[in-house]
Amino acid sequence: MSGPDFELLLRQAVEAARWAPSSHNCQPWRVTVIPGASENERLLCLTLDQGRRLTALESLDLEMALSVGLFFGLLVTALQRLGLACEWALCDANDPSPNGEILMAIVTVRRATAQVFGGADLDSFVDLGRRRRTCRTPFAPDPPPTEALAALSARRWPETVTGAALEIRTETDPKTLESLAKLTARYAALDFTHLRAWSETYRHLRFGEPGDEDVTDGIFIDSLLGPLTPFKRQLLRFALAPLVMQALRPFGVPSRMADALAGLVAAGPGLLCCSLPEERPRRQDLLQAGARLAEIWLNAQAAGLALHPVSVLLQHEAPRRELQRLLCLSGRPVFVARFGLALPNPSISPRRAVDALLHIT
Ligand SMILES: Cc1cc2nc3c(=O)[nH]c(=O)nc-3n(C[C@H](O)[C@H](O)[C@H](O)COP(=O)(O)O)c2cc1C
């Protein structure tokens, strides 16, 4: 068959998907390509990379499924925009895991004879995905334009990819934001002083110069706190170390950090809350919810908005229930983020190279 090499097309799709956001930028995904029923078919096995998954809290299982779902959404959308036909089976938590790997999805990809490859549709999608960033600095206080808010939840991708279950709420009322900020202040310190959780977070912090090419995952400390001098970075490497954080507890350092996060929530201008109907969502529903989140995050980027997840509100049962009550949600909140107008200088966010996550057999 003429046209671009099949492997090259698959690599292009993975290149687009690898920019998916993930908790702590742990990138817990791996793709193994195996031959299909014909030379024009391949099976992509998407697994949760056991060595990369976050495990410090039970609720992180949900974040891992959402993160893989974000990658899955970008991957199949890229495959479709590359002109490849694909269908998939999403796996349940109870499905057997060959070689100890946790299988999340099997995507069957076919190329047809008369196909249009690439094009503007693909280019703008890839460009948007690469430019999208988490923004943790204060947003301009101006409320986002109504059209931008409406654009956030627009549906552009097929429902077969994103499912229909994820409920989206945007909250801009200052009083509600104030209540949510109080909740953040009350519970965020819990995370900063939870030895296991904070040790795992700390392992994902990078204290070198942002953009260092040897760094392929985790979060540069400058992306959390703004531009820093090399000296300040080294100081923070020490000050944020888990045992030091424990020692600083009596001096109120973790609670001051929690207050700073709460201040950002209170300042708004908005908060996005996504929920699923079930108290214990199935793996498949979380993967589709992750795909929908990828669509929403790109919608935000296209509308000039940036997101900053505040997952600490969801990682422990007490604040999650309180959030549910404050926002009168009937379902379980699975993703919460501040949002506002994107800033012109997005932070640097490293990624593993395509070859590190794609295995072609
Ligand atoms: C499910 C999920 C939860 C996240 N929770 C947080 C969070 O609580 N705080 C935060 O600062 N970033 C959070 N993030 C953002 C990630 O840290 C970010 O996506 C990752 O570092 C890559 O950076 P980028 O989004 O700028 O590419 C979360 C992302 C995902 C997908």
Side-chain angles (χ1 to χ4, degrees):
M1 176 182 292
S2 60
D5 176 51
F6 206 166
E7 273 184 20
L8 190 72
L9 293 170
L10 298 180
R11 290 179 69 83
Q12 269 182 279
V14 171
E15 165 56 40
R18 78 189 174 109
W19 293 98
S22 58
S23 305
H24 294 6
N25 195 20
C26 69
Q27 306 165 42
W29 42 71
R30 178 202 285 265
V31 179
T32 305
V33 180
I34 55 177
S38 75
E39 65 161 310
N40 290 316
E41 186 179 290
R42 296 286 186 279
L43 304 183
L44 274 53
C45 303
L46 175 58
T47 50
L48 177 67
D49 188 328
Q50 291 284 43
R52 309 192 68 83
R53 80 189 262 208
L54 306 179
T55 56
L57 299 169
E58 201 190 319
S59 57
L60 290 170
D61 273 350
L62 186 149
E63 287 192 26
M64 292 301 94
L66 272 187
S67 299
V68 176
L70 279 145
F71 178 89
F72 162 77
L74 294 178
L75 181 71
V76 294
T77 306
L79 289 165
Q80 288 168 342
R81 288 183 190 207
L82 277 159
L84 297 163
C86 46
E87 50 196 58
W88 51 87
L90 300 178
C91 306
D92 186 36
N94 299 322
D95 287 344
S97 340
N99 319 326
E101 297 210 49
I102 299 186
L103 193 57
M104 305 296 262
I106 300 178
V107 184
T108 306
V109 186
R110 282 184 209 97
R111 48 179 196 169
T113 28
Q115 250 172 277
V116 182
F117 292 103
D121 211 26
L122 174 75
D123 294 343
S124 60
F125 167 74
V126 172
D127 178 60
L128 205 57
R130 283 197 74 134
R131 283 190 294 114
R132 181 216 53 79
R133 284 290 178 277
T134 297
C135 175
R136 301 181 182 87
T137 50
F139 291 119
D142 325 60
T146 328
E147 314 82 71
L149 275 181
L152 204 64
S153 53
R155 281 193 171 275
R156 298 171 208 279
W157 298 359
E159 237 173 64
T160 47
V161 181
T162 58
L166 196 71
E167 188 85 28
I168 293 156
R169 271 279 289 280
T170 51
E171 193 55 71
T172 52
D173 170 47
K175 275 212 177 93
T176 312
L177 292 180
E178 191 57 51
S179 307
L180 293 168
K182 282 195 184 125
L183 192 63
T184 310
R186 198 146 25 108
Y187 288 100
L190 207 75
D191 199 51
F192 299 137
T193 48
H194 188 294
L195 190 57
R196 245 192 107 202
W198 182 254
S199 300
E200 191 165 69
T201 303
Y202 184 77
R203 278 202 300 281
H204 288 84
L205 296 182
R206 305 288 173 253
F207 294 93
E209 190 73 38
D212 177 347
E213 287 186 2
D214 292 337
V215 175
T216 58
D217 60 9
I219 305 173
F220 286 110
I221 192 70
D222 295 49
S223 302
L224 290 182
L225 301 174
L228 297 163
T229 60
F231 175 72
K232 271 208 171 145
R233 285 190 205 117
Q234 291 320 310
L235 202 67
L236 285 161
R237 182 199 291 274
F238 168 76
L240 297 178
L243 289 176
V244 179
M245 282 288 271
Q246 291 291 324
L248 292 177
R249 210 170 164 170
F251 303 99
V253 172
S255 54
R256 277 209 293 281
M257 285 166 62
D259 287 347
L261 184 60
L264 291 173
V265 172
L271 196 97
L272 168 77
C273 182
C274 302
S275 47
L276 282 171
E278 280 91 26
E279 179 60 27
R280 292 194 164 270
R282 296 177 315 156
R283 164 86 59 70
Q284 292 101 312
D285 297 333
L286 287 168
L287 288 169
Q288 286 194 314
R292 173 76 174 127
L293 217 45
E295 183 183 32
I296 292 168
W297 217 323
L298 292 196
N299 283 345
Q301 177 73 24
L305 300 177
L307 305 185
H308 171 200
V310 188
S311 305
V312 73
L313 288 171
L314 305 177
Q315 284 165 349
H316 302 276
E317 171 131 1
R320 181 163 59 78
R321 294 233 176 264
E322 186 64 18
L323 175 80
Q324 223 159 338
R325 197 188 59 76
L326 275 169
L327 294 181
C328 306
L329 302 171
S330 54
R332 173 181 180 148
V334 293
F335 184 81
V336 179
R338 305 163 53 226
F339 69 83
L341 294 175
L343 300 171
N345 300 317
S347 57
I348 293 174
S349 175
R351 288 296 184 282
R352 287 180 300 150
V354 170
D355 285 327
L357 62 116
L358 176 67
H359 303 269
I360 301 184
T361 60

